[in-house]
Amino acid sequence: MNEAGTQTQPYYVTTPIYYVNDRPHIGHCYTSLVADVAARFMRFLGRDTFFLTGTDEHAEKVVESAENHGVSPIEWADQNAAAFRAAFERLNLSNDDFLRTTEDRHIKNVRACVSAMMETEDIYLGDYVGWWDVSQEEYVTENVAREHDYKSPVTGRELEKRTERNYFFRLSKYEERLIAHIEANPGFIKPEARRNEVIGRIRDGLQDVPVSRKIDPDDPKSQWGIRMPGDETHRIYVWIDALLNYLSAIENEDRQRFWPADVHVVGKDILWFHAVIWPCMLMALGNELPGCVYAHSYWIREGRKMSKSLGNFLDMPTMDAYCERYSRDALRWFLMTQGPMGATDSDFSHAKFVEVSNADLANGVGNALSRVANMIQKYFDGKCPNPHGASKFEGYDWPAITKEAAEKACVKIMQMDLPGALSHAGQILRQVDAFIHTTEPFKRAKDPARMEEVAIILYQSAEAIRIASLLLWPAMPDKMEDLWHRLGCDIKPGRERLGQQLIWGALRPGTPIEKGESLFPRIDPKEEPPVPSVSQSAGA
Ligand code: ME8
């Protein structure tokens, strides 16, 4: 509800639900962070926002991994789901819910949806022979299997030939409707390059896909999962189970307004499921399609692909060590601005982290704030100076500059170009820098007759920094709240609207401005990368 008591437009953003066979790593954190920044922007814009993340627990590899650790699948799932939840909390993610697929609310919804599709014969019983990729829990087509010498295209593990009497989803029925939808909605699959890949693959033809697995009473792996409604000899394929999570979370009445989802943020590895299988399932269920499936690329590390076999995943203990030494906002900033939102992968290198933190944070927002706060301290006894209504000075029209940057940022937010949106805050800060450089308040301050000019320059600089900080807040909530505190502003995103806050002139003359310690200390490039402490590694 907004202040007038009317319902604001709902906004629903999701992340993949992550497998609980293992602990979280940078990849999972990144996708959820992207969704977090989108959700924070939207709440600040006044949208009625729902941000969902969670865990995918019915995979065979969860059972395998639990066995290897000598615990039951649900115990293993509990431990790892807790690790995901804790990791997201440490990164300050603002998810409104955390769904686990072993929860009753989800199981109930999956069975209801599958029953509905059986009733309409969108799900039917048939025979299937195919190449099963054990490591990925999916069948690969004959072409793909041949191309990869009958090994998993992802992990290289030997493919297994499997024949199954199975329930199938009538994917082929929806081919034309899906193509028409993708063509009519250019923003449905992002980024553009991914959209073209998907269209190309759909044009090769869509075949019906198996949606169940036969239960082998002697194999615990095959018993882990949700039973097919009306047939206790089959369980529902984990991917069908997982995709339905996006509906399970909003099943109760007061959340139904969130469908259709605005954006499903996913990695490129699972785009096919989200851009093809899922929309066709929704069509079969008579549901509206989501607004956008955003498939980002991958993080690699110091130039190398991250994988289990290489053992080089950037894991939580390492991420925690970065947060501890440099602040979680510095890490959030690096991930958000340097991450693989486009169609190419991004490298997490320590040298790059240092370079970006120093350029954008220490020398950027941190330096802008400390320069201005220092001068206010020195020339105005630490109180916000009074510009007596002046909002323009020597060619700088601040209301126009900040309004334009904010408007451009908002357009980019709507397009899910989050790094682009954040970059407009950087532009304001660079103008503040140039403004101080050309107007030289420190020189004018030597002449008592010019103190009014100094007041105008410093007020305008501080106010422009405040506006930039509003646009930076979704990425760096801790630090920007600290900055607001120092500028004497009491802003509560969610209660306040970004639109109101962006209006020029909110800083009140006379308010104490706190200098404080530097917001982002400069990092010595020669410093060794942080390593997890022993207790962090053990606890991860
Ligand atoms: O696929 N860089 O779960 P999952 C960036 N349970 N992101 C990465 C990444 C990397 N190197 N590695 C992983 C599943 N990710 C299913 C999803 S959804 C209904 C079911 C992120 O634990 C990225 O978002 O394997 C990717 O899509 C996801 O983790 C895969 O997580």
Side-chain angles (χ1 to χ4, degrees):
M1 295 282 200
N2 65 15
E3 292 87 335
T6 49
Q7 195 77 48
T8 55
Q9 205 188 344
Y11 178 81
Y12 182 17
V13 57
T14 71
T15 74
I17 47 172
Y18 307 106
Y19 287 130
V20 285
N21 58 313
D22 220 335
R23 304 270 147 148
H25 59 64
I26 183 177
H28 309 126
C29 291
Y30 175 67
T31 316
S32 292
L33 175 64
V34 169
D36 180 60
V37 173
R40 284 176 182 272
F41 262 127
M42 289 300 167
R43 286 193 203 103
F44 210 171
L45 284 170
R47 295 279 294 268
D48 172 26
T49 299
F50 187 63
F51 161 23
L52 177 69
T53 191
T55 43
D56 185 358
E57 310 197 349
H58 291 130
E60 290 188 7
K61 58 187 171 191
V62 174
V63 183
E64 233 173 54
S65 180
E67 267 171 16
N68 294 339
H69 290 84
V71 292
S72 71
I74 192 67
E75 278 170 330
W76 189 237
D78 284 348
Q79 278 184 32
N80 283 325
F84 273 94
R85 219 190 268 266
F88 294 166
E89 266 170 32
R90 291 201 298 281
L91 279 174
N92 204 7
L93 304 191
S94 62
N95 48 297
D96 297 289
D97 197 352
F98 185 101
L99 182 137
R100 299 181 55 187
T101 56
T102 45
E103 288 174 54
D104 283 347
R105 59 171 170 160
H106 174 70
I107 295 171
K108 212 170 122 223
N109 175 54
V110 170
R111 288 173 60 92
C113 290
V114 169
S115 291
M117 288 189 277
M118 287 168 96
E119 246 161 60
T120 52
E121 291 180 8
D122 282 294
I123 289 182
Y124 62 92
L125 201 56
D127 273 322
Y128 186 81
V129 185
W131 293 105
W132 176 247
D133 182 339
V134 185
S135 46
Q136 294 306 101
E137 305 248 349
E138 61 176 326
Y139 279 102
V140 298
T141 61
E142 181 62 39
N143 281 348
V144 172
R146 195 175 329 109
E147 242 172 63
H148 292 86
D149 206 16
Y150 300 94
K151 302 224 167 62
S152 163
V154 182
T155 61
R157 192 161 155 179
E158 204 77 37
L159 296 172
E160 285 177 13
K161 183 138 211 170
R162 287 197 184 176
T163 307
E164 294 184 13
R165 184 137 184 89
N166 259 328
Y167 290 89
F168 284 80
F169 172 58
R170 221 176 279 284
L171 187 65
S172 56
K173 176 174 157 190
Y174 295 100
E175 181 175 326
E176 275 168 32
R177 262 177 75 187
L178 180 64
I179 286 269
H181 183 84
I182 297 174
E183 281 176 349
N185 297 278
F188 180 62
I189 302 170
K190 284 186 176 174
E192 178 81 19
R194 298 274 174 243
R195 174 175 184 260
N196 297 336
E197 281 168 25
V198 171
I199 294 178
R201 252 184 93 184
I202 300 175
R203 289 205 194 284
D204 286 345
L206 292 184
Q207 278 156 21
D208 294 354
V209 287
V211 295
S212 73
R213 298 284 176 266
K214 180 120 182 88
I215 294 173
D216 171 356
D218 299 325
D219 177 5
K221 280 208 290 289
S222 99
Q223 287 161 43
W224 181 240
I226 305 176
R227 303 283 147 130
M228 256 338 254
D231 184 348
E232 289 291 305
T233 64
H234 277 83
R235 74 196 150 97
I236 297 166
Y237 174 40
V238 65
W239 262 105
I240 300 301
D241 162 349
L243 287 165
L244 287 164
N245 92 90
Y246 303 127
L247 290 178
S248 306
I250 52 159
E251 253 310 290
N252 60 11
E253 216 167 290
D254 58 323
R255 285 183 178 174
Q256 282 176 7
R257 66 180 186 280
F258 290 113
W259 198 259
D262 291 82
V263 50
H264 293 309
V265 188
V266 298
K268 61 183 176 181
D269 51 332
I270 57 175
L271 176 59
W272 183 256
F273 284 103
H274 284 82
V276 177
I277 315 264
W278 177 230
C280 293
M281 281 168 66
L282 287 165
M283 288 186 221
L285 288 166
N287 261 332
E288 275 182 80
L289 304 195
C292 172
V293 177
Y294 196 108
H296 63 70
S297 301
Y298 264 9
W299 278 101
I300 56 172
R301 185 175 185 187
E302 306 288 350
R304 297 174 78 192
K305 185 176 174 243
M306 286 184 286
S307 76
K308 243 184 154 169
S309 49
L310 289 172
N312 65 341
F313 267 115
L314 208 122
D315 55 10
M316 282 321 291
T318 311
M319 305 238 312
D320 289 338
Y322 269 88
C323 292
E324 205 162 289
R325 193 190 288 173
Y326 306 116
S327 80
R328 64 181 172 189
D329 280 354
L331 183 64
R332 285 173 62 108
W333 179 258
F334 180 73
L335 296 177
M336 266 322 293
T337 58
Q338 305 301 311
M341 283 295 274
T344 45
D345 292 345
S346 294
D347 191 18
F348 191 107
S349 80
H350 181 69
K352 182 86 183 162
F353 175 87
V354 173
E355 185 191 314
V356 169
S357 299
N358 282 343
D360 295 352
L361 305 179
N363 300 340
V365 60
N367 185 48
L369 177 72
S370 68
R371 266 179 108 184
V372 171
N374 273 333
M375 285 191 272
I376 292 177
Q377 182 68 45
K378 197 162 160 195
Y379 309 131
F380 298 95
D381 203 21
K383 303 250 168 42
C384 180
N386 195 334
H388 295 288
S391 60
K392 296 182 191 168
F393 192 76
E394 297 189 356
Y396 283 79
D397 180 349
W398 285 108
I401 293 170
T402 50
K403 185 163 181 267
E404 189 190 333
E407 278 170 2
K408 286 187 175 158
C410 289
V411 170
K412 299 215 163 129
I413 296 162
M414 294 305 170
Q415 299 165 339
M416 265 310 272
D417 177 4
L418 304 176
L422 295 168
S423 74
H424 289 291
Q427 279 169 15
I428 298 177
L429 293 168
R430 277 191 295 279
Q431 301 229 46
V432 171
D433 225 32
F435 181 57
I436 295 174
H437 184 76
T438 52
T439 57
E440 299 183 314
F442 36 87
K443 283 197 183 152
R444 295 179 200 233
K446 290 183 181 139
D447 177 356
R450 304 190 80 178
M451 283 315 276
E452 263 185 34
E453 291 166 18
V454 178
I456 292 174
I457 296 167
L458 293 183
Y459 179 90
Q460 293 181 351
S461 302
E463 177 62 352
I465 292 171
R466 185 190 67 86
I467 292 188
S469 75
L470 298 167
L471 301 175
L472 294 175
W473 176 83
M476 300 190 287
D478 292 338
K479 294 289 186 180
M480 293 308 108
E481 283 164 27
D482 183 357
L483 183 149
W484 296 340
H485 178 77
R486 294 180 195 204
L487 292 181
C489 324
D490 175 28
I491 305 170
K492 300 249 175 330
R495 190 189 69 194
E496 260 102 353
R497 299 286 174 258
L498 185 58
Q500 295 158 341
Q501 288 294 330
L502 285 169
I503 296 168
W504 183 264
L507 270 189
R508 264 194 300 279
T511 309
I513 305 282
E514 245 179 72
K515 204 165 92 46
E517 296 196 341
S518 80
L519 210 52
F520 294 102
R522 223 188 103 72
I523 307 173
D524 178 357
K526 290 199 284 295
E527 189 175 284
E528 286 296 315
V531 284
S533 66
V534 178
S535 63
Q536 276 173 330
S537 308

